[in-house]
Amino acid sequence: MYKISIVYPELGYAGTDIVVAVMLEALKDLYNVDLVTTSYPDFEALNVFFGTSLDGKVKIKVVPIFRFLKNSFRARLLKLHMLMRYCQTHKREYDLFISGYGEMDFGVPGIQYIHFPDIDCEAKLVID
């Protein structure tokens, strides 16, 4: 069975979050699916909100982030790069990487859902 990694910084309740929740829902019964993220999602609340059933079959891989960066909007770019580094380090463990949050360099070809091109915009926030 194929092993797929869906990469997303923090699963919450916005527009891109539902895209990721639906991706997880669609793939979880057909493949081994890992959600690579920076914090544990509350699947119980997300299931109620999105009408999904994500408990059990989706494995969570949390990339450790310094506590002071967890809630910092300006640190979002750093979080993305830490997720990319995790993917590049673990690229042989997966058959496919899917980004649910914009541009990603997995170190191998993958699928990227770009809701909004964030890296360029967030880089400008850090530089300005």
Side-chain angles (χ1 to χ4, degrees):
M1 184 176 284
Y2 286 105
K3 188 165 183 182
I4 297 175
S5 171
I6 296 181
V7 184
Y8 197 72
E10 298 133 17
L11 198 53
Y13 303 94
T16 55
D17 301 298
I18 192 166
V19 172
V20 171
V22 170
M23 281 187 216
L24 292 166
E25 182 72 27
L27 297 172
K28 70 181 173 65
D29 292 325
L30 301 171
Y31 306 101
N32 290 325
V33 179
D34 288 356
L35 173 63
V36 176
T37 185
T38 61
S39 62
Y40 286 98
D42 181 352
F43 277 156
E44 187 175 319
L46 291 168
N47 287 335
V48 170
F49 193 79
F50 293 132
T52 54
S53 57
L54 299 176
D55 298 334
K57 291 195 175 181
V58 176
K59 294 182 186 103
I60 310 301
K61 303 285 184 172
V62 175
V63 176
I65 300 281
F66 294 113
R67 182 172 290 206
F68 69 91
L69 294 177
K70 283 205 180 269
N71 296 320
S72 170
F73 178 76
R74 293 183 68 105
R76 204 161 186 71
L77 186 60
L78 179 58
K79 291 177 193 178
L80 291 176
H81 282 276
M82 292 176 80
L83 288 169
M84 284 186 242
R85 183 179 179 135
Y86 175 90
C87 294
Q88 291 168 4
T89 303
H90 294 86
K91 64 186 173 189
R92 289 183 177 81
E93 297 174 25
Y94 295 96
D95 297 300
L96 177 65
F97 284 98
I98 301 173
S99 168
Y101 190 86
E103 312 96 317
M104 285 272 178
D105 178 4
F106 302 121
V108 294
I111 297 172
Q112 301 185 38
Y113 171 72
I114 301 177
H115 188 76
F116 186 80
D118 281 326
I119 290 182
D120 182 52
C121 294
E122 290 182 18
K124 288 177 183 172
L125 285 174
V126 173
I127 293 169
D128 290 343

